[in-house]
Amino acid sequence: MADQYERSAEFVDVMIAPHWAALAPSLSQVLRDVTGPIVDVGAGGGQGTRVIAEAVPEAEIVAVEPSAALRSVLLARVNESAELRDRVTVLPEGFLEAALPQKLGAVVAMNVIGHFDPVGRQRIWSLLAERLVPGGRAVLNLQPPTEPMTVPESRFADVRVGRRRYEGWGRAEPAGPDRITWHMTYHTYHDDQLVDELEVAYAWWVLDERQLKAELGGHGLAPTPTGPAGLGMYLIDRAGA
């Protein structure tokens, strides 16, 4: 599988940090009282892994990240903390290929569900139904757009580090009945002079609440909106739980 983040990984972790600051309180609330093991799907550079570790002290965490470029940031972040190093295992496979514990207390899939096509999502729901312990739960977010549509280009990040400033821009266009293509551009400025520009593109499978509910229902699971509406977060547990 191609590493979609191979060229952009140096920007992803610093640019996603403000988004994780918004997600962290709601994710921490959802994870209250869960037990381990907890799987962090598409852990990226480990921003979410750190939130999970703080929300559920002492729980075992399995951080899954198939991108070698992002995983290098993740492994370094885990290694630099003695507390994380003792209980976080970093796996290089994709979520559906990884050797996961047979019983799971929670699965966290933030900013990642669009990387899975409909067949892959069905496999995820089946895994949740089979492996979540009683009282276990999953949490994910649906990022806009939730249907194929054109998204005009806009700036989503502006970060200064030392004498350099990094801008992230993104736009999207339909690529089929249930997916879009994101086009991302990263600008690097040194003393406010543009010195580098990187353009990348990746596919994203769209999913709305109606479809999510229908897919989960086929596996005895149900989604419940949680947190501020703008975050698009859903708690998933067994229907009727």
Side-chain angles (χ1 to χ4, degrees), residues 13 43-47 49 63 65 67-82 84-85 88-92:
D13 193 69
Q47 298 270 3
T49 308
E65 178 49 63
S67 165
L70 291 177
R71 194 171 62 252
S72 64
V73 180
L74 168 64
L75 190 58
R77 176 166 280 141
V78 169
N79 182 65
E80 70 184 7
S81 166
L84 293 180
R85 193 166 59 241
V88 177
T89 300
V90 176
L91 296 183

Side-chain angles (χ1 to χ4, degrees), residues 8-77:
S8 61
E10 66 176 297
F11 307 108
V12 171
D13 193 69
V14 294
M15 290 187 176
I16 204 173
H19 186 54
W20 267 109
L23 289 172
S26 296
L27 178 59
S28 296
Q29 181 67 25
V30 167
L31 294 177
R32 284 184 61 188
D33 304 322
V34 303
T35 59
I38 300 171
V39 179
D40 186 6
V41 183
Q47 298 270 3
T49 308
R50 186 164 52 191
V51 173
I52 296 167
E54 293 174 354
V56 193
E58 300 183 5
E60 178 187 3
I61 300 170
V62 180
V64 179
E65 178 49 63
S67 165
L70 291 177
R71 194 171 62 252
S72 64
V73 180
L74 168 64
L75 190 58
R77 176 166 280 141

Side-chain angles (χ1 to χ4, degrees), residues 27-196:
L27 178 59
S28 296
Q29 181 67 25
V30 167
L31 294 177
R32 284 184 61 188
D33 304 322
V34 303
T35 59
I38 300 171
V39 179
D40 186 6
V41 183
Q47 298 270 3
T49 308
R50 186 164 52 191
V51 173
I52 296 167
E54 293 174 354
V56 193
E58 300 183 5
E60 178 187 3
I61 300 170
V62 180
V64 179
E65 178 49 63
S67 165
L70 291 177
R71 194 171 62 252
S72 64
V73 180
L74 168 64
L75 190 58
R77 176 166 280 141
V78 169
N79 182 65
E80 70 184 7
S81 166
E83 193 270 340
L84 293 180
R85 193 166 59 241
D86 284 344
R87 61 191 180 100
V88 177
T89 300
V90 176
L91 296 183
E93 298 86 5
F95 176 56
L96 294 173
E97 293 74 42
L100 303 175
Q102 289 301 307
K103 295 298 179 181
L104 302 173
V107 173
V108 177
M110 304 303 295
N111 308 321
V112 74
I113 197 64
H115 284 306
F116 295 90
D117 63 17
V119 173
R121 291 199 305 266
Q122 289 296 327
R123 292 178 61 195
I124 293 174
W125 313 147
S126 178
L127 185 151
L128 296 181
E130 293 173 358
R131 300 200 188 187
L132 284 177
V133 300
R137 67 205 65 166
V139 58
L140 58 76
N141 62 333
L142 302 183
Q143 296 172 280
T146 56
E147 61 184 51
M149 61 183 295
T150 298
V151 178
E153 187 171 52
S154 64
R155 186 173 67 180
F156 63 85
D158 187 353
V159 179
R160 182 175 291 276
V161 181
R163 294 175 62 176
R164 291 210 160 189
R165 183 168 63 87
Y166 305 92
E167 285 185 351
W169 294 77
R171 63 180 177 85
E173 59 189 24
D178 52 3
R179 65 176 175 167
I180 58 176
T181 298
W182 278 105
H183 298 272
M184 317 300 288
T185 303
Y186 301 93
H187 293 157
T188 301
Y189 295 86
H190 189 96
D191 290 338
D192 294 323
Q193 178 179 352
L194 182 65
V195 294
D196 191 31

